[in-house]
Amino acid sequence: MKVAVIGTGYVGLVTGVCLAEKGHDVVCVDVDAEKVACVNRGEAPIFERDLPALLARNAGRRLRATTDLAAAVRESEITLIAVGTPFDGVAIDLRFIEGVAREIGAALREKPPFHVVVVKSTVVPGTTDGVVRPILEAASGKRAGTDFGVGMNPEFLTEGEAVGDFLAPDRIVIGGGDARTLDAQALLYACFPDVPLVRCNNATAEMVKLVNNTYRDVTFA
């Protein structure tokens, strides 16, 4: 599949590199031109075990990076949002995810084919359908579920060991508001044929992520 990944932090870059390693055609998007240049040179701008070798192998082949979000969305089939959602101990800051959603929506306005937008960033239950979806609809002038899809695919990555976690998952959770959105994500992860694929709605996928984080924090505190 042709995949756009928005954000090149440890979640976004690891996701993009690993999907490229699995055979997908991936473009990573970031506002930081130097990070984009590093990725295109095959150099990892962050430290993650095993990431440099995989990035060097795929850069310029199945993986590239750009600052042009609109072009990346137009040229892909599915867009994964992996921007930061900082937590101050009280609330999650959604400014980055809201800004990206507006840009994606604007790009979708000029794109006729059904396109799937998937949130990978950590958010509280209700955010994908209650915040991201309305922004996408307003910016695109289109309807979710009819003209484009909105999904939620939580990540279960440990910083420093994210590559291994991504390539050897114990389950993959995909949320969506319609069958086409879920099917597109299932196709994305068909390269993991032996891994259980859990289909659910977006709020459930968001809750699974928060429960997983809580369990990890309590167990390994």
mmCIF file of all heavy atoms in Angstrom, residues 146-169:
data_model
loop_
_atom_site.group_PDB
_atom_site.id
_atom_site.type_symbol
_atom_site.label_atom_id
_atom_site.label_comp_id
_atom_site.label_asym_id
_atom_site.label_seq_id
_atom_site.Cartn_x
_atom_site.Cartn_y
_atom_site.Cartn_z
ATOM 1 N N THR A 146 -18.408 8.025 4.251
ATOM 2 C CA THR A 146 -18.915 8.025 2.877
ATOM 3 C C THR A 146 -17.817 8.409 1.893
ATOM 4 O O THR A 146 -17.579 7.709 0.899
ATOM 5 C CB THR A 146 -20.082 9.015 2.726
ATOM 6 O OG1 THR A 146 -21.128 8.659 3.635
ATOM 7 C CG2 THR A 146 -20.620 9.016 1.303
ATOM 8 N N ASP A 147 -17.140 9.525 2.170
ATOM 9 C CA ASP A 147 -16.114 10.036 1.264
ATOM 10 C C ASP A 147 -14.699 9.685 1.713
ATOM 11 O O ASP A 147 -13.779 9.643 0.906
ATOM 12 C CB ASP A 147 -16.238 11.555 1.146
ATOM 13 C CG ASP A 147 -17.629 11.984 0.708
ATOM 14 O OD1 ASP A 147 -18.113 11.436 -0.300
ATOM 15 O OD2 ASP A 147 -18.231 12.845 1.372
ATOM 16 N N PHE A 148 -14.521 9.495 3.000
ATOM 17 C CA PHE A 148 -13.220 9.094 3.537
ATOM 18 C C PHE A 148 -13.463 8.339 4.842
ATOM 19 O O PHE A 148 -14.565 8.385 5.420
ATOM 20 C CB PHE A 148 -12.300 10.301 3.768
ATOM 21 C CG PHE A 148 -12.788 11.267 4.813
ATOM 22 C CD1 PHE A 148 -12.417 11.128 6.144
ATOM 23 C CD2 PHE A 148 -13.628 12.328 4.483
ATOM 24 C CE1 PHE A 148 -12.871 12.014 7.112
ATOM 25 C CE2 PHE A 148 -14.085 13.218 5.443
ATOM 26 C CZ PHE A 148 -13.702 13.058 6.765
ATOM 27 N N GLY A 149 -12.434 7.638 5.305
ATOM 28 C CA GLY A 149 -12.571 6.853 6.522
ATOM 29 C C GLY A 149 -11.754 7.437 7.660
ATOM 30 O O GLY A 149 -10.732 8.092 7.432
ATOM 31 N N VAL A 150 -12.205 7.197 8.894
ATOM 32 C CA VAL A 150 -11.488 7.646 10.087
ATOM 33 C C VAL A 150 -11.309 6.452 11.022
ATOM 34 O O VAL A 150 -12.291 5.818 11.426
ATOM 35 C CB VAL A 150 -12.243 8.766 10.825
ATOM 36 C CG1 VAL A 150 -11.436 9.224 12.038
ATOM 37 C CG2 VAL A 150 -12.509 9.934 9.894
ATOM 38 N N GLY A 151 -10.050 6.141 11.338
ATOM 39 C CA GLY A 151 -9.771 4.997 12.195
ATOM 40 C C GLY A 151 -8.833 5.339 13.336
ATOM 41 O O GLY A 151 -8.306 6.449 13.420
ATOM 42 N N MET A 152 -8.640 4.361 14.216
ATOM 43 C CA MET A 152 -7.729 4.514 15.346
ATOM 44 C C MET A 152 -6.947 3.217 15.506
ATOM 45 O O MET A 152 -7.525 2.146 15.638
ATOM 46 C CB MET A 152 -8.529 4.814 16.620
ATOM 47 C CG MET A 152 -7.739 5.575 17.699
ATOM 48 S SD MET A 152 -6.525 4.557 18.561
ATOM 49 C CE MET A 152 -5.469 5.826 19.252
ATOM 50 N N ASN A 153 -5.622 3.319 15.442
ATOM 51 C CA ASN A 153 -4.739 2.149 15.504
ATOM 52 C C ASN A 153 -3.665 2.414 16.560
ATOM 53 O O ASN A 153 -2.621 2.970 16.262
ATOM 54 C CB ASN A 153 -4.125 1.920 14.123
ATOM 55 C CG ASN A 153 -3.006 0.910 14.108
ATOM 56 O OD1 ASN A 153 -2.002 1.119 13.422
ATOM 57 N ND2 ASN A 153 -3.133 -0.193 14.821
ATOM 58 N N PRO A 154 -3.928 2.050 17.812
ATOM 59 C CA PRO A 154 -2.985 2.370 18.888
ATOM 60 C C PRO A 154 -1.651 1.662 18.728
ATOM 61 O O PRO A 154 -1.574 0.551 18.181
ATOM 62 C CB PRO A 154 -3.710 1.895 20.154
ATOM 63 C CG PRO A 154 -4.640 0.834 19.677
ATOM 64 C CD PRO A 154 -5.080 1.272 18.314
ATOM 65 N N GLU A 155 -0.602 2.321 19.207
ATOM 66 C CA GLU A 155 0.722 1.708 19.182
ATOM 67 C C GLU A 155 1.048 1.172 20.570
ATOM 68 O O GLU A 155 0.611 1.715 21.583
ATOM 69 C CB GLU A 155 1.778 2.720 18.721
ATOM 70 C CG GLU A 155 1.784 4.051 19.442
ATOM 71 C CD GLU A 155 2.542 4.050 20.751
ATOM 72 O OE1 GLU A 155 3.296 3.077 20.988
ATOM 73 O OE2 GLU A 155 2.371 4.992 21.537
ATOM 74 N N PHE A 156 1.798 0.066 20.585
ATOM 75 C CA PHE A 156 2.230 -0.543 21.840
ATOM 76 C C PHE A 156 3.751 -0.684 21.800
ATOM 77 O O PHE A 156 4.295 -1.784 21.807
ATOM 78 C CB PHE A 156 1.555 -1.897 22.033
ATOM 79 C CG PHE A 156 0.051 -1.837 21.964
ATOM 80 C CD1 PHE A 156 -0.624 -2.315 20.855
ATOM 81 C CD2 PHE A 156 -0.677 -1.274 22.999
ATOM 82 C CE1 PHE A 156 -2.008 -2.244 20.783
ATOM 83 C CE2 PHE A 156 -2.073 -1.199 22.938
ATOM 84 C CZ PHE A 156 -2.738 -1.692 21.824
ATOM 85 N N LEU A 157 4.425 0.460 21.713
ATOM 86 C CA LEU A 157 5.863 0.488 21.531
ATOM 87 C C LEU A 157 6.555 1.014 22.777
ATOM 88 O O LEU A 157 6.089 1.972 23.394
ATOM 89 C CB LEU A 157 6.240 1.380 20.335
ATOM 90 C CG LEU A 157 5.532 1.096 19.004
ATOM 91 C CD1 LEU A 157 5.997 2.084 17.948
ATOM 92 C CD2 LEU A 157 5.778 -0.340 18.557
ATOM 93 N N THR A 158 7.662 0.404 23.106
ATOM 94 C CA THR A 158 8.483 0.864 24.222
ATOM 95 C C THR A 158 9.655 1.654 23.662
ATOM 96 O O THR A 158 10.403 1.147 22.812
ATOM 97 C CB THR A 158 9.021 -0.336 25.034
ATOM 98 O OG1 THR A 158 7.914 -1.114 25.496
ATOM 99 C CG2 THR A 158 9.850 0.144 26.218
ATOM 100 N N GLU A 159 9.797 2.886 24.105
ATOM 101 C CA GLU A 159 10.878 3.721 23.588
ATOM 102 C C GLU A 159 12.222 3.047 23.842
ATOM 103 O O GLU A 159 12.525 2.610 24.940
ATOM 104 C CB GLU A 159 10.842 5.098 24.247
ATOM 105 C CG GLU A 159 11.665 6.134 23.518
ATOM 106 C CD GLU A 159 11.318 7.551 23.944
ATOM 107 O OE1 GLU A 159 10.341 7.743 24.689
ATOM 108 O OE2 GLU A 159 12.035 8.469 23.505
ATOM 109 N N GLY A 160 13.034 2.958 22.798
ATOM 110 C CA GLY A 160 14.317 2.266 22.870
ATOM 111 C C GLY A 160 14.253 0.853 22.335
ATOM 112 O O GLY A 160 15.249 0.304 21.867
ATOM 113 N N GLU A 161 13.054 0.255 22.372
ATOM 114 C CA GLU A 161 12.844 -1.104 21.872
ATOM 115 C C GLU A 161 11.685 -1.140 20.875
ATOM 116 O O GLU A 161 11.081 -2.187 20.646
ATOM 117 C CB GLU A 161 12.536 -2.064 23.037
ATOM 118 C CG GLU A 161 13.617 -2.145 24.086
ATOM 119 C CD GLU A 161 14.894 -2.802 23.567
ATOM 120 O OE1 GLU A 161 14.819 -3.515 22.543
ATOM 121 O OE2 GLU A 161 15.962 -2.587 24.176
ATOM 122 N N ALA A 162 11.396 0.022 20.287
ATOM 123 C CA ALA A 162 10.194 0.156 19.470
ATOM 124 C C ALA A 162 10.232 -0.676 18.194
ATOM 125 O O ALA A 162 9.200 -1.191 17.754
ATOM 126 C CB ALA A 162 9.974 1.635 19.121
ATOM 127 N N VAL A 163 11.399 -0.821 17.581
ATOM 128 C CA VAL A 163 11.490 -1.605 16.344
ATOM 129 C C VAL A 163 11.119 -3.055 16.613
ATOM 130 O O VAL A 163 10.321 -3.670 15.892
ATOM 131 C CB VAL A 163 12.899 -1.505 15.734
ATOM 132 C CG1 VAL A 163 13.065 -2.503 14.586
ATOM 133 C CG2 VAL A 163 13.152 -0.089 15.217
ATOM 134 N N GLY A 164 11.699 -3.635 17.651
ATOM 135 C CA GLY A 164 11.380 -5.011 17.995
ATOM 136 C C GLY A 164 9.917 -5.178 18.350
ATOM 137 O O GLY A 164 9.279 -6.170 17.954
ATOM 138 N N ASP A 165 9.360 -4.214 19.085
ATOM 139 C CA ASP A 165 7.948 -4.276 19.443
ATOM 140 C C ASP A 165 7.058 -4.227 18.209
ATOM 141 O O ASP A 165 6.052 -4.939 18.119
ATOM 142 C CB ASP A 165 7.582 -3.117 20.376
ATOM 143 C CG ASP A 165 8.158 -3.259 21.766
ATOM 144 O OD1 ASP A 165 8.587 -4.376 22.121
ATOM 145 O OD2 ASP A 165 8.177 -2.256 22.507
ATOM 146 N N PHE A 166 7.416 -3.382 17.249
ATOM 147 C CA PHE A 166 6.587 -3.244 16.047
ATOM 148 C C PHE A 166 6.644 -4.495 15.190
ATOM 149 O O PHE A 166 5.612 -4.967 14.688
ATOM 150 C CB PHE A 166 7.043 -2.040 15.213
ATOM 151 C CG PHE A 166 6.063 -1.680 14.116
ATOM 152 C CD1 PHE A 166 5.177 -0.619 14.291
ATOM 153 C CD2 PHE A 166 6.028 -2.384 12.925
ATOM 154 C CE1 PHE A 166 4.263 -0.287 13.294
ATOM 155 C CE2 PHE A 166 5.120 -2.069 11.920
ATOM 156 C CZ PHE A 166 4.232 -1.014 12.105
ATOM 157 N N LEU A 167 7.832 -5.048 15.022
ATOM 158 C CA LEU A 167 8.000 -6.188 14.116
ATOM 159 C C LEU A 167 7.569 -7.511 14.729
ATOM 160 O O LEU A 167 7.374 -8.488 13.998
ATOM 161 C CB LEU A 167 9.457 -6.267 13.655
ATOM 162 C CG LEU A 167 9.935 -5.121 12.758
ATOM 163 C CD1 LEU A 167 11.417 -5.278 12.441
ATOM 164 C CD2 LEU A 167 9.112 -5.066 11.459
ATOM 165 N N ALA A 168 7.405 -7.545 16.044
ATOM 166 C CA ALA A 168 6.983 -8.780 16.703
ATOM 167 C C ALA A 168 5.850 -8.498 17.690
ATOM 168 O O ALA A 168 5.990 -8.711 18.895
ATOM 169 C CB ALA A 168 8.159 -9.439 17.406
ATOM 170 N N PRO A 169 4.709 -8.034 17.201
ATOM 171 C CA PRO A 169 3.599 -7.690 18.107
ATOM 172 C C PRO A 169 2.871 -8.940 18.595
ATOM 173 O O PRO A 169 2.870 -9.974 17.926
ATOM 174 C CB PRO A 169 2.687 -6.851 17.212
ATOM 175 C CG PRO A 169 2.910 -7.415 15.840
ATOM 176 C CD PRO A 169 4.370 -7.788 15.788
#
